[in-house]
Amino acid sequence: MSFSTDWRFSPARSREIAKALLDNGRDLSYAEIDAPHGHDAFLLEDPRYLGVVRSYFERIAAEAPAAAVRELTTGAVL
């Protein structure tokens, strides 16, 4: 995730990292939020930011039971 006005971790660099991960077969979600608050935008209660974070945690929660079963049955740890 990146914010359009983040000067410390620019969206261009975040997109570059996301592309490299995808090019190497990694599962990835990326969101870029247009926000005027620069690097500290994540400290504010922006509904778009909170929605992305909520979706991420919901996805992890949904995947957790499957990962636990996989670990118990195969011994594989993610």
Side-chain angles (χ1 to χ4, degrees), residues 50-61:
L50 296 175
V52 171
V53 172
R54 184 179 305 108
S55 294
Y56 174 74
F57 283 123
E58 287 171 352
R59 185 177 62 107
I60 288 174

Side-chain angles (χ1 to χ4, degrees), residues 12-77:
R13 182 66 175 138
S14 295
R15 288 189 301 270
E16 182 182 331
I17 293 168
K19 182 183 180 317
L21 289 167
L22 288 171
D23 289 348
N24 285 283
R26 306 305 278 176
D27 187 21
L28 170 70
S29 295
Y30 174 75
E32 186 173 318
I33 297 173
D34 185 26
H37 309 293
H39 178 69
D40 292 336
F42 73 97
L43 297 171
L44 304 173
E45 291 190 22
D46 185 308
R48 298 163 300 171
Y49 168 69
L50 296 175
V52 171
V53 172
R54 184 179 305 108
S55 294
Y56 174 74
F57 283 123
E58 287 171 352
R59 185 177 62 107
I60 288 174
E63 293 174 357
V69 168
R70 197 168 35 253
E71 183 178 336
L72 287 173
T73 58
T74 66
V77 177

